[in-house]
Amino acid sequence: MDYQKILEDIELEIKPMLGDGKVADYIPVLSSIDPNQFAMSITLFDGTQYNIGASQKLFSIQSISKVFTYTLALKFYADKFYGRVGHEPSGDPFNSLVQLEYENGVPRNPFINAGAINVTDALISYYHSSESTYKEIIEFIRSIADEKEIYMDKAVALSEMEHGYRNISLASLMKSFDNLDNSVLDVVQTYFNHCSIEMNTQMLSRSMLYLANHGFDPVTNKAYISPSQAKRINAVMLTCGHYDASGDFAYNVGLPGKSGVGGGIVAIVPAKMALSVWSPGLNAQGNSLAGTKALELFTTKTGLSIF
Amino acid sequence: MDYQKILEDIELEIKPMLGDGKVADYIPVLSSIDPNQFAMSITLFDGTQYNIGASQKLFSIQSISKVFTYTLALKFYADKFYGRVGHEPSGDPFNSLVQLEYENGVPRNPFINAGAINVTDALISYYHSSESTYKEIIEFIRSIADEKEIYMDKAVALSEMEHGYRNISLASLMKSFDNLDNSVLDVVQTYFNHCSIEMNTQMLSRSMLYLANHGFDPVTNKAYISPSQAKRINAVMLTCGHYDASGDFAYNVGLPGKSGVGGGIVAIVPAKMALSVWSPGLNAQGNSLAGTKALELFTTKTGLSIF
Amino acid sequence: MDYQKILEDIELEIKPMLGDGKVADYIPVLSSIDPNQFAMSITLFDGTQYNIGASQKLFSIQSISKVFTYTLALKFYADKFYGRVGHEPSGDPFNSLVQLEYENGVPRNPFINAGAINVTDALISYYHSSESTYKEIIEFIRSIADEKEIYMDKAVALSEMEHGYRNISLASLMKSFDNLDNSVLDVVQTYFNHCSIEMNTQMLSRSMLYLANHGFDPVTNKAYISPSQAKRINAVMLTCGHYDASGDFAYNVGLPGKSGVGGGIVAIVPAKMALSVWSPGLNAQGNSLAGTKALELFTTKTGLSIF
Amino acid sequence: MDYQKILEDIELEIKPMLGDGKVADYIPVLSSIDPNQFAMSITLFDGTQYNIGASQKLFSIQSISKVFTYTLALKFYADKFYGRVGHEPSGDPFNSLVQLEYENGVPRNPFINAGAINVTDALISYYHSSESTYKEIIEFIRSIADEKEIYMDKAVALSEMEHGYRNISLASLMKSFDNLDNSVLDVVQTYFNHCSIEMNTQMLSRSMLYLANHGFDPVTNKAYISPSQAKRINAVMLTCGHYDASGDFAYNVGLPGKSGVGGGIVAIVPAKMALSVWSPGLNAQGNSLAGTKALELFTTKTGLSIF
């Protein structure tokens, strides 16, 4: 298939939609981003990349980082992790306290905020400190992306913390249910740190190859997790990867994926490739508007879908 | 692959679990069923079947019928249907009114009770009467199962109606939001009628081939729905097919499927085959306990999974 | 105190507010009422009445009838009634299903719709039929109002039933929890019948004397209920009498009272008098806007308040 | 009336119930208290006191302090306060986040935890620091109780903070909705400080005289708040003073009152007297079991009730 041609066609069709969504505005640093930007990258198992648009432009990966921290947590805790964080869709906005309270402080899945905060807490317990935890997370991302120059945007991390009272509320609630081991502020700051990492679509599509290929990197042959763990992360991405629009994404796109409020989305075609798309304008559920459409066009044009 | 051997191995491993679950007891007719029963069937695209256990024993298909009515509704209404019934996971027990009230009478998806009742209402509007609707549903099922001898268990249908106040409550609530066209009692009785259809695992696995094969039957070559519609039904089965354990099923089994409180489950391996399993003992979420485990063993043993 | 002068002052102050609220529009018969109407009546223990405005104009008493049916239920069932209907404020809009579902079909109090429907059901069980129940209710009202010419508006009762799916939903939900003895449609129709009774403020203020006077009528000396039962009904009026604005009414008015969406309100000053006010424009919580204000002015001007 | 005799009768009847309830156990310091204790005090407008049981024994006043802080807030902010904290019953357990989230961070009333924390925040803004706020609160309590020797139990205050994650969660949630001005930890610590003040029933019944007497102390003639403010605090005590059993208290006791998990309750008979009772065993809603019963016996024996 001529992937470059497909990307070009997608860009043409997507152009009129750019600017339709709403850039994340809960922190000042993110709200000033130009919504008329677009990038898309495909990485095949031999490492070949196809790119379109601003594919070298860095952006805040935000919730996409939850895929990486969940990978680390699953690797070290395996299924023992299940009592702390479930893997059911939440059926509620991503930062809702209601469900967390009714379900006694056990988050529904690792991709809603409470779940990802809990995963970060588990990693801090495993790595013994928030500093070493952040270090291990970013080293892991650099490894799977095969790229050393990946960093956190400290201004974003600080600004998140300043406006992070809802996440502090979620973490405190889990702690009141004895489902958080470490200090609330430490855990939340570490969580914001990994959310504030910056990448571009080239790096992100490259970084997801291990999930498209049963847990090991087809280019470097490094094994990160077991095939069964990779399969499970993909299942959680499919059922819970897009907040309250996860069903919509499965229905229209049909690929396991994960979005972030920075406007990025990653997705995989099992046994074939990994993709990433970026456009900062968001839809009502907090997912990239043009990005979601671009992936839907991709599966329509290629017939690639897990269903 | 030696599917017969695989089914025999699964049966051996499943035996000790039989009787662990709890038979559905909300109506007397269902509560008297012996939980120590098990059956499993596989149907390939050339029509070959592999069976184990009581694969000719008829049972109440219950919520599995929702797949068939949703197929008919999608065929006739296509995406116009979306305003009436969504396709997001619900994150709440299958018969919850809470979410329906907060979301103004629009059910989250066609596989929770409210959604399936709404789908039945749409079919009655399309077919002009509850009688003709039921007739079209059962004829459709006979066609996709390639089997004429499929009938409703009238005793079950009547008993459901007698104990059906929660579903009447759901239908009345939708009607109060102007999201139900026909008479509450007519719609609910028609819904119970198609839930009370009896099939066995041979028939059920045969009946799902069209969903594994882009909407047309690979044996008879009859086209039922478009490839895109088939893909979408599969997506909804994956994200919403097992009530509040849909994430669990995706995580552990990794196939689009649908369960019913009669103890049956159907599932498909896209482009390969359709399966059905039956064991009446249910887990806490209302899905067949041994049946779910059997499908998990199947994907583990064969490596077949969409992820 | 010169009550007539006080009523005249209140009318003057209230005039500019008339028409500010929104007439109940859930059924056509009620929506056509002119909102610029106002009436207020006071009845003392010797039977003396003070009136202002359209105090002879009949209107639909609606939820005010719940006070009368609760009186009958408490009289016959006494505290045995408690397991069926509670007496706690609901903290939710008056017709919410959410709380009813979470609390297993036991309504919070007899003044939300579910509670009043349940009370009607208990009366039907006591009086053996819906016809005799309605007859006993209206005879009771005629007796406490000391007025034979009180009737139901059949057009309202029929229209309520036609648009009554939410109440049918509530009743069906209670029945699914085994907390309703009689037929859903019978109970709901009887409930709508007593809601559709028409009275004016003269009749209504007269009818409440028994609650201001420990359960017996100070004019006729008829004993209706025990002092302890009267005290309890007053307590429930204070904490639950105005839907989700009950706290507001206690805070600003400080008298036990009950409102209806027809625009009427009744209230009592214990050991002193009974009052009724009417103005069809409603506030956001479904209580008469001008009527609530008139009662607030009354307690401010007279210093009469239970606090 | 012979109040001493009435108290003696109440004590006799209450004795068999002592030890039935469950002492608050969310912090170790409180859980070790002997539940078989009882005290009751009445203070008349001339200062005369009637006491029974351990009426000089100090205990943690806990949520009773919310009456005092609300008094101060109402005094300084008057009705401007309403947009920050409502005065509706909550219909949910006292520390529920659900309602707070649905209602955008505005607590239902000043007597649920979120509301009282918000009141404390308002006082800190008024008094400029948490230290001066605590000082003003305790000085106010000493003044209305006419007793200088009233202190905080610092061990309780510290222990509350250590186990206070749910309250920190509530405060953080309000801050995320911009409904909290000061630092979360400062506000919550100040809140815990005033909850940890120790008093006995003699002091508490004395301290409530101003609310029974239109806002000014009948013994010292000091005016604390306006008659209208006193009336409103009493209304909120009646509708919201006992968490999710406020309706029950109004129904069975019929007096404005406020309970605390330390086992204390205060109540007033408007224009007549103030009361306090103490017994550490709590019922399911967190109110003193024997204390509630004692007050019910009091109103039954004396006929004193606002209804």
Side-chain angles (χ1 to χ4, degrees), chain C residues 78-97:
Chain C
D79 276 357
K80 269 173 263 173
F81 202 63
Y82 187 41
R84 290 186 58 138
V85 183
H87 40 246
E88 286 302 322
S90 72
D92 256 313
F94 58 99
N95 50 9
S96 170
L97 281 109

PDB file of all heavy atoms in Angstrom, chain C residues 78-97:
ATOM      1  N   ALA C  78     -49.960   4.009  61.003  1.00  0.00           N
ATOM      2  CA  ALA C  78     -49.069   4.512  62.050  1.00  0.00           C
ATOM      3  C   ALA C  78     -47.614   4.273  61.664  1.00  0.00           C
ATOM      4  O   ALA C  78     -47.262   4.441  60.501  1.00  0.00           O
ATOM      5  CB  ALA C  78     -49.407   3.885  63.386  1.00  0.00           C
ATOM      6  N   ASP C  79     -46.778   3.876  62.589  1.00  0.00           N
ATOM      7  CA  ASP C  79     -45.353   3.787  62.291  1.00  0.00           C
ATOM      8  C   ASP C  79     -44.967   2.545  61.500  1.00  0.00           C
ATOM      9  O   ASP C  79     -43.834   2.436  61.025  1.00  0.00           O
ATOM     10  CB  ASP C  79     -44.534   3.898  63.579  1.00  0.00           C
ATOM     11  CG  ASP C  79     -44.328   5.369  63.931  1.00  0.00           C
ATOM     12  OD1 ASP C  79     -44.772   6.228  63.148  1.00  0.00           O
ATOM     13  OD2 ASP C  79     -43.727   5.652  64.975  1.00  0.00           O
ATOM     14  N   LYS C  80     -45.926   1.613  61.338  1.00  0.00           N
ATOM     15  CA  LYS C  80     -45.646   0.464  60.475  1.00  0.00           C
ATOM     16  C   LYS C  80     -45.334   0.942  59.055  1.00  0.00           C
ATOM     17  O   LYS C  80     -44.741   0.242  58.262  1.00  0.00           O
ATOM     18  CB  LYS C  80     -46.872  -0.466  60.431  1.00  0.00           C
ATOM     19  CG  LYS C  80     -46.849  -1.547  61.505  1.00  0.00           C
ATOM     20  CD  LYS C  80     -48.167  -2.303  61.515  1.00  0.00           C
ATOM     21  CE  LYS C  80     -49.086  -1.744  62.594  1.00  0.00           C
ATOM     22  NZ  LYS C  80     -50.453  -2.305  62.562  1.00  0.00           N
ATOM     23  N   PHE C  81     -45.781   2.132  58.751  1.00  0.00           N
ATOM     24  CA  PHE C  81     -45.626   2.677  57.431  1.00  0.00           C
ATOM     25  C   PHE C  81     -44.170   2.972  57.071  1.00  0.00           C
ATOM     26  O   PHE C  81     -43.807   3.062  55.905  1.00  0.00           O
ATOM     27  CB  PHE C  81     -46.439   3.974  57.354  1.00  0.00           C
ATOM     28  CG  PHE C  81     -46.778   4.331  55.956  1.00  0.00           C
ATOM     29  CD1 PHE C  81     -47.570   3.493  55.202  1.00  0.00           C
ATOM     30  CD2 PHE C  81     -46.305   5.484  55.372  1.00  0.00           C
ATOM     31  CE1 PHE C  81     -47.885   3.797  53.896  1.00  0.00           C
ATOM     32  CE2 PHE C  81     -46.614   5.804  54.065  1.00  0.00           C
ATOM     33  CZ  PHE C  81     -47.401   4.954  53.338  1.00  0.00           C
ATOM     34  N   TYR C  82     -43.330   3.092  58.070  1.00  0.00           N
ATOM     35  CA  TYR C  82     -41.988   3.629  57.893  1.00  0.00           C
ATOM     36  C   TYR C  82     -41.101   2.814  56.936  1.00  0.00           C
ATOM     37  O   TYR C  82     -40.293   3.362  56.194  1.00  0.00           O
ATOM     38  CB  TYR C  82     -41.323   3.787  59.251  1.00  0.00           C
ATOM     39  CG  TYR C  82     -39.999   4.482  59.193  1.00  0.00           C
ATOM     40  CD1 TYR C  82     -39.805   5.580  58.363  1.00  0.00           C
ATOM     41  CD2 TYR C  82     -38.932   4.041  59.951  1.00  0.00           C
ATOM     42  CE1 TYR C  82     -38.591   6.214  58.303  1.00  0.00           C
ATOM     43  CE2 TYR C  82     -37.717   4.680  59.900  1.00  0.00           C
ATOM     44  CZ  TYR C  82     -37.540   5.763  59.073  1.00  0.00           C
ATOM     45  OH  TYR C  82     -36.330   6.384  58.998  1.00  0.00           O
ATOM     46  N   GLY C  83     -41.245   1.477  56.972  1.00  0.00           N
ATOM     47  CA  GLY C  83     -40.420   0.656  56.083  1.00  0.00           C
ATOM     48  C   GLY C  83     -40.718   0.890  54.604  1.00  0.00           C
ATOM     49  O   GLY C  83     -39.881   0.637  53.746  1.00  0.00           O
ATOM     50  N   ARG C  84     -41.913   1.377  54.311  1.00  0.00           N
ATOM     51  CA  ARG C  84     -42.320   1.578  52.922  1.00  0.00           C
ATOM     52  C   ARG C  84     -41.926   2.940  52.377  1.00  0.00           C
ATOM     53  O   ARG C  84     -41.609   3.078  51.201  1.00  0.00           O
ATOM     54  CB  ARG C  84     -43.847   1.475  52.816  1.00  0.00           C
ATOM     55  CG  ARG C  84     -44.369   0.084  53.013  1.00  0.00           C
ATOM     56  CD  ARG C  84     -45.854   0.063  52.755  1.00  0.00           C
ATOM     57  NE  ARG C  84     -46.166   0.520  51.425  1.00  0.00           N
ATOM     58  CZ  ARG C  84     -47.073  -0.059  50.638  1.00  0.00           C
ATOM     59  NH1 ARG C  84     -47.740  -1.104  51.066  1.00  0.00           N
ATOM     60  NH2 ARG C  84     -47.323   0.420  49.459  1.00  0.00           N
ATOM     61  N   VAL C  85     -42.038   3.943  53.218  1.00  0.00           N
ATOM     62  CA  VAL C  85     -41.719   5.314  52.819  1.00  0.00           C
ATOM     63  C   VAL C  85     -40.994   5.968  53.985  1.00  0.00           C
ATOM     64  O   VAL C  85     -41.470   5.887  55.125  1.00  0.00           O
ATOM     65  CB  VAL C  85     -43.002   6.129  52.520  1.00  0.00           C
ATOM     66  CG1 VAL C  85     -42.658   7.529  52.042  1.00  0.00           C
ATOM     67  CG2 VAL C  85     -43.865   5.434  51.491  1.00  0.00           C
ATOM     68  N   GLY C  86     -39.855   6.607  53.721  1.00  0.00           N
ATOM     69  CA  GLY C  86     -39.106   7.251  54.792  1.00  0.00           C
ATOM     70  C   GLY C  86     -39.634   8.644  55.097  1.00  0.00           C
ATOM     71  O   GLY C  86     -40.711   9.031  54.655  1.00  0.00           O
ATOM     72  N   HIS C  87     -38.902   9.401  55.927  1.00  0.00           N
ATOM     73  CA  HIS C  87     -39.258  10.803  56.129  1.00  0.00           C
ATOM     74  C   HIS C  87     -38.013  11.683  56.164  1.00  0.00           C
ATOM     75  O   HIS C  87     -37.907  12.596  56.962  1.00  0.00           O
ATOM     76  CB  HIS C  87     -40.137  11.008  57.372  1.00  0.00           C
ATOM     77  CG  HIS C  87     -39.732  10.175  58.540  1.00  0.00           C
ATOM     78  ND1 HIS C  87     -40.526   9.183  59.031  1.00  0.00           N
ATOM     79  CD2 HIS C  87     -38.624  10.179  59.279  1.00  0.00           C
ATOM     80  CE1 HIS C  87     -39.906   8.612  60.057  1.00  0.00           C
ATOM     81  NE2 HIS C  87     -38.764   9.216  60.223  1.00  0.00           N
ATOM     82  N   GLU C  88     -37.083  11.373  55.266  1.00  0.00           N
ATOM     83  CA  GLU C  88     -35.890  12.199  55.125  1.00  0.00           C
ATOM     84  C   GLU C  88     -36.003  13.095  53.888  1.00  0.00           C
ATOM     85  O   GLU C  88     -36.548  12.668  52.870  1.00  0.00           O
ATOM     86  CB  GLU C  88     -34.651  11.311  54.933  1.00  0.00           C
ATOM     87  CG  GLU C  88     -34.166  10.598  56.161  1.00  0.00           C
ATOM     88  CD  GLU C  88     -33.815  11.533  57.302  1.00  0.00           C
ATOM     89  OE1 GLU C  88     -33.259  12.608  57.046  1.00  0.00           O
ATOM     90  OE2 GLU C  88     -34.118  11.179  58.451  1.00  0.00           O
ATOM     91  N   PRO C  89     -35.456  14.309  53.958  1.00  0.00           N
ATOM     92  CA  PRO C  89     -35.383  15.146  52.761  1.00  0.00           C
ATOM     93  C   PRO C  89     -34.644  14.392  51.656  1.00  0.00           C
ATOM     94  O   PRO C  89     -33.797  13.543  51.941  1.00  0.00           O
ATOM     95  CB  PRO C  89     -34.557  16.349  53.215  1.00  0.00           C
ATOM     96  CG  PRO C  89     -34.598  16.337  54.691  1.00  0.00           C
ATOM     97  CD  PRO C  89     -34.852  14.944  55.135  1.00  0.00           C
ATOM     98  N   SER C  90     -34.962  14.710  50.408  1.00  0.00           N
ATOM     99  CA  SER C  90     -34.392  13.902  49.335  1.00  0.00           C
ATOM    100  C   SER C  90     -33.131  14.500  48.713  1.00  0.00           C
ATOM    101  O   SER C  90     -32.306  13.769  48.191  1.00  0.00           O
ATOM    102  CB  SER C  90     -35.428  13.674  48.248  1.00  0.00           C
ATOM    103  OG  SER C  90     -35.629  14.873  47.531  1.00  0.00           O
ATOM    104  N   GLY C  91     -32.982  15.815  48.771  1.00  0.00           N
ATOM    105  CA  GLY C  91     -31.780  16.386  48.164  1.00  0.00           C
ATOM    106  C   GLY C  91     -31.706  16.191  46.668  1.00  0.00           C
ATOM    107  O   GLY C  91     -30.649  16.268  46.087  1.00  0.00           O
ATOM    108  N   ASP C  92     -32.804  15.885  46.030  1.00  0.00           N
ATOM    109  CA  ASP C  92     -32.851  15.680  44.587  1.00  0.00           C
ATOM    110  C   ASP C  92     -34.188  16.194  44.079  1.00  0.00           C
ATOM    111  O   ASP C  92     -35.143  16.261  44.834  1.00  0.00           O
ATOM    112  CB  ASP C  92     -32.750  14.183  44.262  1.00  0.00           C
ATOM    113  CG  ASP C  92     -31.376  13.797  43.761  1.00  0.00           C
ATOM    114  OD1 ASP C  92     -30.856  14.499  42.883  1.00  0.00           O
ATOM    115  OD2 ASP C  92     -30.842  12.799  44.262  1.00  0.00           O
ATOM    116  N   PRO C  93     -34.252  16.531  42.778  1.00  0.00           N
ATOM    117  CA  PRO C  93     -35.541  16.972  42.250  1.00  0.00           C
ATOM    118  C   PRO C  93     -36.648  15.962  42.582  1.00  0.00           C
ATOM    119  O   PRO C  93     -36.399  14.767  42.732  1.00  0.00           O
ATOM    120  CB  PRO C  93     -35.288  17.048  40.751  1.00  0.00           C
ATOM    121  CG  PRO C  93     -33.848  17.332  40.644  1.00  0.00           C
ATOM    122  CD  PRO C  93     -33.204  16.589  41.782  1.00  0.00           C
ATOM    123  N   PHE C  94     -37.881  16.455  42.631  1.00  0.00           N
ATOM    124  CA  PHE C  94     -38.978  15.667  43.205  1.00  0.00           C
ATOM    125  C   PHE C  94     -39.320  14.392  42.457  1.00  0.00           C
ATOM    126  O   PHE C  94     -39.917  13.510  43.022  1.00  0.00           O
ATOM    127  CB  PHE C  94     -40.228  16.540  43.346  1.00  0.00           C
ATOM    128  CG  PHE C  94     -40.725  17.147  42.068  1.00  0.00           C
ATOM    129  CD1 PHE C  94     -41.786  16.563  41.389  1.00  0.00           C
ATOM    130  CD2 PHE C  94     -40.153  18.298  41.553  1.00  0.00           C
ATOM    131  CE1 PHE C  94     -42.263  17.136  40.221  1.00  0.00           C
ATOM    132  CE2 PHE C  94     -40.628  18.872  40.381  1.00  0.00           C
ATOM    133  CZ  PHE C  94     -41.679  18.294  39.712  1.00  0.00           C
ATOM    134  N   ASN C  95     -38.949  14.310  41.197  1.00  0.00           N
ATOM    135  CA  ASN C  95     -39.339  13.108  40.465  1.00  0.00           C
ATOM    136  C   ASN C  95     -38.132  12.283  40.026  1.00  0.00           C
ATOM    137  O   ASN C  95     -38.158  11.585  39.028  1.00  0.00           O
ATOM    138  CB  ASN C  95     -40.203  13.479  39.263  1.00  0.00           C
ATOM    139  CG  ASN C  95     -39.553  14.584  38.451  1.00  0.00           C
ATOM    140  OD1 ASN C  95     -38.403  14.935  38.694  1.00  0.00           O
ATOM    141  ND2 ASN C  95     -40.277  15.095  37.492  1.00  0.00           N
ATOM    142  N   SER C  96     -37.056  12.350  40.804  1.00  0.00           N
ATOM    143  CA  SER C  96     -35.824  11.673  40.432  1.00  0.00           C
ATOM    144  C   SER C  96     -35.892  10.177  40.700  1.00  0.00           C
ATOM    145  O   SER C  96     -36.322   9.715  41.742  1.00  0.00           O
ATOM    146  CB  SER C  96     -34.671  12.264  41.231  1.00  0.00           C
ATOM    147  OG  SER C  96     -33.527  11.485  41.065  1.00  0.00           O
ATOM    148  N   LEU C  97     -35.438   9.409  39.722  1.00  0.00           N
ATOM    149  CA  LEU C  97     -35.390   7.953  39.881  1.00  0.00           C
ATOM    150  C   LEU C  97     -34.089   7.495  40.512  1.00  0.00           C
ATOM    151  O   LEU C  97     -34.004   6.394  41.046  1.00  0.00           O
ATOM    152  CB  LEU C  97     -35.511   7.267  38.521  1.00  0.00           C
ATOM    153  CG  LEU C  97     -36.904   7.152  37.920  1.00  0.00           C
ATOM    154  CD1 LEU C  97     -37.035   8.072  36.750  1.00  0.00           C
ATOM    155  CD2 LEU C  97     -37.190   5.743  37.540  1.00  0.00           C
TER     156      LEU C  97
END
